[in-house]
Amino acid sequence: MIAYLERCIHENDSESRPNDDEKDQLPNICHSLDLQGTIDCVATGLASKDFGGMYTCNPLALIRPASPDDVARVVKAAYRSPNLTVAARGNGHSINGQAMSDRGLVMDMRSTGGNLFEVVRINGETFVDVSGGALWEDVLKQCVLEYKLAPRSWTDYLGLTVGGTLSNAGVSGQAYRFGPQTSNVAELDVVTGKGEVMTCNKNENSELFFGALGGLGQFGIITRARVLVQSAPDMVRWIRVVYTEFEDFTRDAEWLVTRPEGESFDYIEGFVFVNSIDDPANGWPSVPLDPDQGFDPSRIPRTSGSVLYCLEVALHYQKTDHPSTVDKAVNSLLGQLGFNEDVKFQVDVSYVGFLLRVKHAEESARANGIWDAPHPWLNMLVSKRDIADFDRVVFKRMLKEGVGGPMLVYPLLRSKWDSRTSVALPAEGEIFYLVALLRFTMPYPKGPSTEKLVSQNKEIVQFCVKEGFDFKLYLPHYQSEEEWKRHFGNQWSRFVKRKDSFDPMAILAPGQKIFKRISQS
């Protein structure tokens, strides 16, 4: 899920230590907060690192708020201080230190995760109100098990907080149909950079509502979200089919995502894999859906290239549906696709099990010791116009030996994204592609060094810039204002105006490195 990477490890540890003025500020601020939650000025290690493992910054304190009022008190105290900043940390799944605050305050929003869960019905639609600190996997379980409801749009990995994904976009295989998670929210409670708690939606405080969605935490901290839900299915038919040619893969994927409502699969993604049996992470072994299924290489033409392509789809159904009904719906769609018919895998799993599929990968990665290793990930949104050239150079040449983890690529539809949000998209066309290079590293010399992988990410981005590709980094990270201006393009002035309105002192989300804190005299 992440972007153009820059290391930010202080060359001198003393630079990260709070100075005397900062240390003097903290006791007075902590005493005045009167929080229901906790403040830890010693054991701040959790807040000094993230999933990326390439960034370290030492905060003054780690705060675990008990309520939105606690969040507001912390931000208000920072607002009144000369130079403190505040970062809201979800489950720490950022890659480049976006949820860190060097010599500032970090709030662990997970401490508010269980504060709220309420089903709300308005004008024939059903929503759930959940805390911004709730994990999506907990929202899933409570929705499905207690109410047989489910949000319409997800991320692949659900160990992420609601506020965290809504501050970026939130994308998975349902997004072609329902849009990202930011398109499936009706209302937010947000603590602004002034410490004000504001309820916002499309009609009330709409600039804050659309600004916070995809706003990278720059305009406020999301403490409540009203998420659109629908009836949850019982089961999922999960299918993977293989292509040797990128042109055939993209043709079929684009056909599926542009089918009329109700005439396609419920989930559509895809990935690139290495044409080799020797790579368990990126080769043939990564394709089958069940340990009992095997990949027969004799089914792949000898003339195939260095990489192959997998289209991954899923169809929802109920336990009461007759098997023949499910088979007919699946076969009617697959029958119109041009995949290699000799290489097809499918399983039937529970809906909850399907959505928690990456949880199993996490458990395996933790057992192997690679979950806590550095993750120099790169996420991009690439226009349909340029995706074939991207494949020709990046997938087939630069990454022909894989990245040690999934290489996702699948189409999305611009019309499902609300242009009023802060998310930056490619400039042209209805169809664009998510490209995600989700690297899992092995300790050197077993695998390439982290520095080499970061350098390769930069090379990919520089190639796209040089060739004039229409693309944006998803979950972006830049080091200069000029780079951020290029990223947002003609949306930059709107972004700055929203910052001036809701966080005029640039207190929030300093780890994004978009704006510098304005000192109070």
Side-chain angles (χ1 to χ4, degrees):
M1 311 166 198
I2 317 288
Y4 180 178
L5 309 172
E6 294 282 355
R7 287 190 67 121
C8 179
I9 298 177
H10 292 287
E11 294 180 0
N12 185 344
D13 285 344
S14 65
E15 295 178 6
S16 297
R17 295 171 187 152
N19 59 41
D20 290 340
D21 290 340
E22 290 167 333
K23 287 188 285 188
D24 290 342
Q25 284 184 56
L26 194 58
N28 294 330
I29 291 172
C30 292
H31 180 72
S32 65
L33 287 177
D34 189 26
L35 300 182
Q36 294 176 320
T38 64
I39 303 175
D40 196 332
C41 302
V42 179
T44 60
L46 175 75
S48 68
K49 58 185 179 180
D50 61 15
F51 184 70
M54 300 175 292
Y55 232 91
T56 63
C57 289
N58 294 324
L60 284 177
L62 174 61
I63 299 171
R64 294 181 174 88
S67 66
D69 285 342
D70 276 2
V71 176
R73 287 190 183 98
V74 171
V75 175
K76 196 167 291 184
Y79 182 74
R80 292 169 177 165
S81 75
N83 52 20
L84 278 177
T85 57
V86 177
R89 185 186 195 275
N91 208 19
H93 215 265
S94 60
I95 298 299
N96 299 286
Q98 290 97 326
M100 295 180 190
S101 180
D102 191 15
R103 294 174 294 211
L105 307 177
V106 174
M107 280 192 285
D108 184 355
M109 297 301 293
R110 295 176 303 171
S111 60
T112 67
N115 288 359
L116 176 65
F117 187 95
E118 182 180 358
V119 176
V120 180
R121 292 181 171 85
I122 304 173
N123 299 327
E125 292 188 307
T126 305
F127 305 86
V128 291
D129 281 358
V130 295
S131 167
L135 295 180
W136 281 107
E137 63 184 51
D138 295 331
V139 174
L140 166 68
K141 292 171 185 175
Q142 195 161 3
C143 278
V144 175
L145 299 180
E146 295 185 23
Y147 298 95
K148 211 175 186 308
L149 297 170
R152 305 190 308 175
S153 190
W154 296 96
T155 51
D156 287 337
Y157 176 60
L158 301 188
L160 309 171
T161 60
V162 170
T165 65
L166 293 181
S167 295
N168 290 283
V171 179
S172 185
Q174 307 86 8
Y176 88 90
R177 181 177 178 188
F178 296 115
Q181 291 179 317
T182 50
S183 295
N184 291 272
V185 177
E187 189 171 271
L188 301 172
D189 283 348
V190 177
V191 176
T192 71
K194 302 175 186 178
E196 300 169 336
V197 183
M198 299 178 67
T199 297
C200 54
N201 53 48
K202 293 179 181 180
N203 301 312
E204 178 185 1
N205 298 315
S206 60
E207 277 300 303
L208 179 58
F209 177 72
F210 291 116
L213 293 172
L216 307 176
Q218 292 300 304
F219 314 118
I221 298 171
I222 297 172
T223 58
R224 177 184 67 91
R226 178 162 289 173
V227 180
L228 183 61
V229 295
Q230 61 185 4
S231 296
D234 296 323
M235 301 293 293
V236 170
R237 174 71 59 83
W238 184 10
I239 304 160
R240 287 178 177 173
V241 293
V242 171
Y243 294 78
T244 58
E245 301 298 328
F246 190 67
E247 180 181 5
D248 297 334
F249 165 79
T250 55
R251 180 197 63 233
D252 285 357
E254 291 175 14
W255 180 78
L256 286 172
V257 301
T258 54
R259 298 282 296 159
E261 179 76 22
E263 296 184 22
S264 189
F265 291 103
D266 297 293
Y267 162 99
I268 300 169
E269 286 196 11
F271 61 90
V272 182
F273 65 101
V274 178
N275 190 7
S276 169
I277 196 172
D278 298 323
D279 187 344
N282 275 130
W284 301 337
S286 66
V287 181
L289 291 167
D290 186 277
D292 294 333
Q293 297 172 340
F295 192 105
D296 184 355
S298 68
R299 304 293 186 178
I300 301 297
R302 292 177 180 243
T303 55
S304 298
S306 59
V307 296
L308 304 172
Y309 310 92
C310 178
L311 183 63
E312 181 177 64
V313 297
L315 186 77
H316 298 165
Y317 66 95
Q318 303 295 345
K319 290 180 180 178
T320 54
D321 291 335
H322 195 277
S324 63
T325 303
V326 179
D327 292 342
K328 182 178 179 181
V330 168
N331 292 336
S332 66
L333 289 168
L334 293 181
Q336 300 182 69
L337 305 183
F339 60 91
N340 184 331
E341 295 186 5
D342 293 326
V343 189
K344 170 188 163 187
F345 305 94
Q346 73 176 39
V347 293
D348 290 271
V349 296
S350 72
Y351 177 67
V352 172
F354 174 72
L355 289 177
L356 292 177
R357 62 196 180 279
V358 182
K359 187 75 171 178
H360 304 304
E362 175 189 354
E363 293 167 354
S364 175
R366 287 188 184 278
N368 294 332
I370 61 173
W371 187 259
D372 295 323
H375 298 90
W377 287 7
L378 176 66
N379 278 328
M380 309 175 71
L381 303 174
V382 181
S383 71
K384 173 183 176 179
R385 183 195 75 187
D386 298 313
I387 196 64
D389 287 334
F390 185 96
D391 167 69
R392 177 178 53 81
V393 175
V394 177
F395 288 138
K396 287 188 170 73
R397 296 181 193 172
M398 293 185 184
L399 303 178
K400 63 182 180 180
E401 296 180 359
V403 299
M407 297 188 288
L408 306 183
V409 57
Y410 57 89
L412 299 166
L413 303 178
R414 179 186 303 275
S415 57
K416 302 297 182 177
W417 298 60
D418 195 318
S419 62
R420 293 171 291 183
T421 69
S422 296
V423 182
L425 300 179
E428 298 180 11
E430 165 68 353
I431 295 176
F432 58 92
Y433 279 76
L434 174 76
V435 175
L437 309 180
L438 308 182
R439 303 175 186 269
F440 281 79
T441 60
M442 296 293 290
Y444 185 82
K446 291 184 178 179
S449 68
T450 301
E451 289 82 2
K452 183 176 181 179
L453 299 178
V454 170
S455 177
Q456 187 179 58
N457 285 344
K458 291 180 182 179
E459 183 183 358
I460 291 169
V461 172
Q462 289 165 359
F463 163 74
C464 293
V465 171
K466 179 182 177 182
E467 295 298 314
F469 284 4
D470 181 16
F471 79 100
K472 297 292 182 183
L473 299 182
Y474 175 54
L475 311 180
H477 185 70
Y478 294 106
Q479 295 290 330
S480 70
E481 183 175 300
E482 286 304 311
E483 290 174 308
W484 282 110
K485 284 182 178 179
R486 285 196 296 270
H487 173 75
F488 285 107
N490 59 15
Q491 296 179 33
W492 175 247
S493 60
R494 183 183 70 178
F495 199 83
V496 172
K497 184 178 180 181
R498 286 171 171 173
K499 187 69 170 180
D500 290 341
S501 296
F502 302 114
D503 185 22
M505 307 306 292
I507 288 166
L508 300 176
Q512 297 283 3
K513 302 190 183 305
I514 305 176
F515 301 99
K516 291 183 178 180
R517 172 69 156 96
I518 299 174
S519 298
Q520 297 251 42
S521 57

